[in-house]
C-alpha cells in the first residue's frame, strides 16, 4: 500500500524499494558466505552491486531494473556458450521492448538497465 503501482514509478517512493533490495541482497551474500557455495557469494554480491549502482544512478535516471536483471540473468545462463547467450539475450530484449511499449521507461532508461545488467553478467562469468 505504500506505492501507487508495482513499478514504483514515483522517484520519492524508490528509496524504500532500494533499501529492501540492498538489505535482501546483502543478507543473501552473507548467507551464501556462511552456508553456501562460492558461486552463490559471487552471484549475490554482484546482484547487490547492481542494485547499489541502480540506486545511485536513480538520482538522475530511473534505470530499468527489469531489464538490468534480465540482462544479468542472460549473462549468467549464457556464460561462455554463445548459442545460449543469444537465446537468453532474446528474452532480455523482449523484456526491454515491453518496458518501452508499456511506457514504464524511456529508451535511455532501458539502455542503462541493459548496460548495467550486461556488465554484471560479464563480471559473473569472468
Amino acid at each position: 500500500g505504500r506505492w501507487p503501482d508495482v513499478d514504483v514509478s514515483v522517484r520519492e517512493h524508490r528509496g524504500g524499494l532500494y533499501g529492501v533490495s540492498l538489505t535482501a541482497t546483502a543478507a543473501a551474500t552473507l548467507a551464501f558466505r556462511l552456508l553456501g557455495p562460492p558461486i552463490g557469494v559471487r552471484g549475490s554480491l554482484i546482484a547487490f552491486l547492481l542494485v547499489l549502482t541502480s540506486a545511485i544512478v536513480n538520482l538522475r535516471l530511473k534505470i530499468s531494473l527489469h531489464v538490468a536483471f534480465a540482462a544479468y540473468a542472460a549473462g549468467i545462463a549464457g556464460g561462455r556458450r554463445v548459442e545460449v547467450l543469444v537465446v537468453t539475450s532474446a528474452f532480455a530484449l523482449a523484456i526491454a521492448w515491453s518496458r518501452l511499449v508499456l511506457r514504464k521507461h524511456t529508451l535511455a532508461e532501458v539502455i542503462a538497465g541493459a548496460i548495467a545488467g550486461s556488465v554484471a553478467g560479464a563480471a559473473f562469468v569472468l
Side-chain angles (χ1 to χ4, degrees), residues 12 43 82 87 95 103:
E12 293 76 23
V82 175
V87 171
I95 291 170
R103 297 185 180 183

Side-chain angles (χ1 to χ4, degrees), residues 64 67 93-111:
S64 174
V67 174
L93 281 172
I95 291 170
W97 174 79
S98 75
R99 303 310 290 164
L100 292 170
V101 169
L102 294 171
R103 297 185 180 183
K104 298 298 182 181
H105 291 283
T106 66
L107 182 59
E109 294 166 343
V110 167
I111 290 172

